[in-house]
Amino acid sequence: MIAPVSEDAVLITLAHAIDDTLPTRLCRLAQSIRDKEFPWLIDLVSSYTTMLVIYDPLSVDYRAVIARLRAIIDAEMSAPGPDQNIVGDLVELPVYYSDESGPDLAELAADTGLDAEEVIRRHTALEYRVHALGFAPGFAFMGEVDPSIARPRKQTPRTRVPAGSVGIANRQTAVYPQASPGGWQIIGRCPTPLFDPQTLSLLKVGDRVRFRAINRDDFLAAGGQLTGVGAS
Amino acid sequence: MSGLDVISPGALSTIQDAGRQGYRHHGLAQGGALDLRSYTWANKLLDNPRNAACLEMVLGGFHAVARGNLQIALTGAEAPVRLNGRPVPLWQTQNLTDGDELVIGYSSSHRLIYLAMAGGLDAPECFGSRSVVVREYIAGQGSVTTGDRLVALEDGHQQPIRSVPLQHRLAPDTETRLRLIPGYQYRDFHPNDMQRLTTSVYRVSDLSDRMGFRLNGPAMSSPPSGIISEGIANGALQIPGDGLPIVLLNDCQTIGGYPKPGVVPTLDCGALAQQLPGAQVRFELTDIATVQNERRLFERHYQCTRWRSCGQSLEWQ
């Protein structure tokens, strides 16, 4: 479905429920649209099941945009590309899981009836897909974590979560690229910058992410900062 | 380099141009001047490039001293402006010479004042734009502060005084009309709620900023619960759980999960962004074709008219 949204955007909806194949489909669709080099194309914002296509309304009409996009989607449907799993980069993110870097780790472990070691093992055992990017520059919504470690957001969000914090919210996981207010359950901290004004977001929709547990020394050696909640 | 040395930036002054284009998929807000009409006219007065950067001031309270000779233009909210103690009008160009003192008081009718400089305001470019989004805490992306120098890209530029034709200026208004392009989620709302939305008067809440304007008035009785987060268009009308509408503006988040019955056109968002807390607004339905035509006419007017020698007259080329 392609629906007109505003004077400069239309929305493509690929599905009505979240599933694991959508990030790669969105990734491939974005590539197909960008390959056409439409002079009116400004941006493609993928998120879970949809893609917002932003265009220049001074050079094209919304009907023409929808017709062009429909042709691309139809072509994709009739000729599915190669193995979906090879789409998207694989990115490994080191994480220092601990009470000092992950203030909710102990409580989340207690809630789940697992010990902290087992929570860490389960968080690092799976490969996650980036389903959406937003909330803040470089903030990637990844899924899905093992149901046994899924926990809802905190009732009262923190006013400041340090940059690099690794969190869980229901079956989603993410790294806070900058210090910001946030309500996710924080279980560790990642020293890798997720957003840089020069190179922009490290992750994009469709990428695969694997977390790797590191110790305190490796975290500090990689440039990680151990300022607590309430500091930057 | 001619420019202005800032003695007081006022309540909140940021550098804005037409915004960052093509960076939303990195989670970066678009940013850019909120009131497209006033921003555009400030640049038009000086024959600046279409996307030249201006200073966007909230309410006013700005005080600066000229360094070198320069030409500026002021548009937007009506506020008392004094140049070396002498009152000067908005919506026109001003020639400043070295040492001139510019003092802008506070507006009591509207919210945003735009200050343009000949050639555009020089500032570092980031993400293809000079616009600043303060809430993202990106290094170098802050509001203007005391001691900053605002530099004009064209030195010593002086021209005859021009002023914006009266019909294009921000008019005193008792009620702002916000048109709404209904979207695909419109039919997910209860018909009574959509009738309530388009027949009631809403008032601008004081919880309004560059991310969005909250409106007080009759709440939607049964807004749909959340949707799967999706990309947000500029001007999206978001209805959170409390049923009170929020019009999302240039600095809003890039994706979100609240339902949205439609989108307010960019030019109408500008009219809304000019309103003070308590101001009355009313929604009415429109369609995309109408809005796109109007937007193209607006741009054509900018591109295809030129000033006669001085005064208020423009002619089509």
Side-chain angles (χ1 to χ4, degrees):
Chain A
M1 183 183 81
I2 309 177
V5 169
S6 69
E7 70 204 83
D8 65 355
V10 301
L11 187 80
I12 301 173
T13 303
L14 291 183
H16 295 285
I18 296 171
D19 80 62
D20 265 355
T21 67
L22 287 165
T24 56
R25 286 176 64 197
L26 286 164
C27 180
R28 278 161 40 104
L29 181 59
Q31 197 52 55
S32 302
I33 295 171
R34 290 202 186 275
D35 284 348
K36 299 281 183 196
E37 297 182 350
F38 295 121
W40 42 258
L41 182 66
I42 292 176
D43 212 343
L44 299 171
V45 184
S46 299
S47 178
Y48 295 103
T49 54
T50 56
M51 183 185 293
L52 187 73
V53 179
I54 301 166
Y55 63 92
D56 176 12
L58 307 181
S59 56
V60 71
D61 172 83
Y62 75 95
R63 294 181 193 86
V65 171
I66 290 175
R68 296 300 181 93
L69 295 174
R70 184 156 288 143
I72 294 171
I73 292 169
D74 289 348
E76 291 261 311
M77 296 276 204
S78 61
D83 182 6
Q84 302 261 319
N85 289 324
I86 64 169
V87 180
D89 296 331
L90 176 64
V91 180
E92 190 184 74
L93 294 176
V95 179
Y96 171 42
Y97 297 93
S98 71
D99 291 337
E100 67 173 331
S101 58
D104 300 319
L105 180 62
E107 197 181 310
L108 188 140
D111 273 4
T112 58
L114 304 167
D115 59 26
E117 285 305 309
E118 186 56 21
V119 170
I120 296 165
R121 199 193 65 75
R122 294 187 187 191
H123 192 250
T124 52
L126 299 181
E127 191 177 283
Y128 304 107
R129 283 280 185 183
V130 177
H131 285 259
L133 228 125
F135 172 67
F139 190 100
F141 292 82
M142 297 175 249
E144 293 187 314
V145 300
D146 189 293
S148 63
I149 59 167
R151 279 296 172 275
R153 287 173 174 81
K154 297 185 78 66
Q155 292 237 308
T156 309
R158 290 191 169 89
T159 54
R160 197 166 170 86
V161 172
S165 292
V166 177
I168 286 177
N170 300 312
R171 293 194 63 191
Q172 304 182 100
T173 185
V175 184
Y176 283 82
Q178 301 88 12
S180 76
W184 292 39
Q185 307 277 353
I186 306 303
I187 59 169
R189 208 175 294 179
C190 170
T192 311
L194 272 284
F195 183 85
D196 178 285
Q198 307 303 317
T199 54
L200 303 170
S201 178
L202 176 69
L203 301 171
K204 59 183 184 301
V205 172
D207 281 353
R208 296 166 289 154
V209 173
R210 205 174 247 286
F211 294 105
R212 177 170 57 89
I214 57 171
N215 63 29
R216 193 178 201 272
D217 290 345
D218 291 343
F219 173 77
L220 294 172
Q225 301 274 323
L226 279 175
T227 46
V229 175
S232 58
Chain B
M1 284 191 298
S2 58
L4 289 170
D5 282 343
V6 178
I7 293 167
S8 165
L12 176 65
S13 298
T14 55
I15 294 172
Q16 302 293 344
D17 59 13
R20 308 149 168 180
Q21 305 293 333
Y23 289 86
R24 279 195 248 183
H25 65 287
H26 290 283
L28 287 156
Q30 178 180 303
L34 287 181
D35 178 7
L36 185 62
R37 213 177 276 277
S38 298
Y39 158 79
T40 300
W41 277 106
N43 279 326
K44 178 77 180 169
L45 282 167
L46 298 169
D47 291 326
N48 281 350
R50 178 71 186 91
N51 296 338
C54 291
L55 190 68
E56 180 182 282
M57 299 172 213
V58 177
L59 296 175
F62 179 84
H63 182 187
V65 174
R67 290 290 165 240
N69 297 340
L70 77 157
Q71 192 172 40
I72 63 166
L74 290 164
T75 62
E78 209 55 56
V81 182
R82 287 176 180 273
L83 189 57
N84 297 325
R86 171 178 55 89
V88 295
L90 270 87
W91 298 96
Q92 72 165 48
T93 56
Q94 301 291 341
N95 291 319
L96 272 56
T97 51
D98 189 50
D100 278 356
E101 202 177 359
L102 176 71
V103 178
I104 302 174
Y106 286 96
S107 173
S108 53
S109 58
H110 289 101
R111 195 162 176 277
L112 302 169
I113 300 164
Y114 290 87
L115 184 158
M117 292 179 160
L121 206 156
D122 195 10
E125 273 198 40
C126 201
F127 317 121
S129 162
R130 292 186 165 94
S131 291
V132 163
V133 179
V134 175
R135 74 165 179 87
E136 287 172 351
Y137 299 108
I138 288 169
Q141 298 259 299
S143 56
V144 169
T145 58
T146 299
D148 284 355
R149 176 170 289 187
L150 305 172
V151 176
L153 282 165
E154 273 178 32
D155 256 351
H157 187 96
Q158 304 254 311
Q159 275 190 345
I161 299 297
R162 291 168 176 169
S163 60
V164 174
L166 291 175
Q167 72 270 25
H168 293 298
R169 301 185 187 186
L170 191 59
D173 37 25
T174 50
E175 188 174 275
T176 303
R177 176 185 68 143
L178 296 180
R179 286 163 309 163
L180 184 71
I181 304 165
Y184 78 97
Q185 292 165 33
Y186 184 84
R187 58 180 176 271
D188 297 339
F189 286 82
H190 194 281
N192 291 349
D193 275 341
M194 289 301 92
Q195 193 169 31
R196 187 170 290 129
L197 180 72
T198 50
T199 55
S200 307
V201 171
Y202 286 88
R203 287 179 183 277
V204 173
S205 154
D206 50 8
L207 298 171
S208 295
D209 58 21
R210 288 189 51 89
M211 279 185 83
F213 267 47
R214 287 169 189 268
L215 302 173
N216 291 324
M220 305 296 104
S221 61
S222 52
S225 55
I227 54 160
I228 296 172
S229 279
E230 62 183 27
I232 294 175
N234 249 10
L237 182 70
Q238 176 175 284
I239 312 285
D242 66 5
L244 288 172
I246 304 174
V247 180
L248 296 177
L249 299 178
N250 303 44
D251 284 6
C252 75
Q253 63 277 25
T254 54
I255 64 172
Y258 287 116
K260 304 176 288 289
V263 172
V264 175
T266 305
L267 285 167
D268 292 16
C269 285
L272 173 63
Q274 280 290 4
Q275 302 306 314
L276 298 173
Q280 295 185 18
V281 302
R282 196 185 272 280
F283 290 98
E284 65 181 54
L285 296 182
T286 186
D287 60 274
I288 292 190
T290 303
V291 172
Q292 288 195 330
N293 284 338
E294 187 187 81
R295 182 74 188 277
R296 288 189 195 112
L297 265 175
F298 178 77
E299 293 299 327
R300 274 184 66 79
H301 186 270
Y302 185 86
Q303 302 291 354
C304 303
T305 56
R306 69 171 175 218
W307 295 95
R308 291 179 203 274
S309 54
C310 66
Q312 290 189 16
S313 0
L314 287 145
E315 60 190 5
W316 286 86
Q317 284 174 297

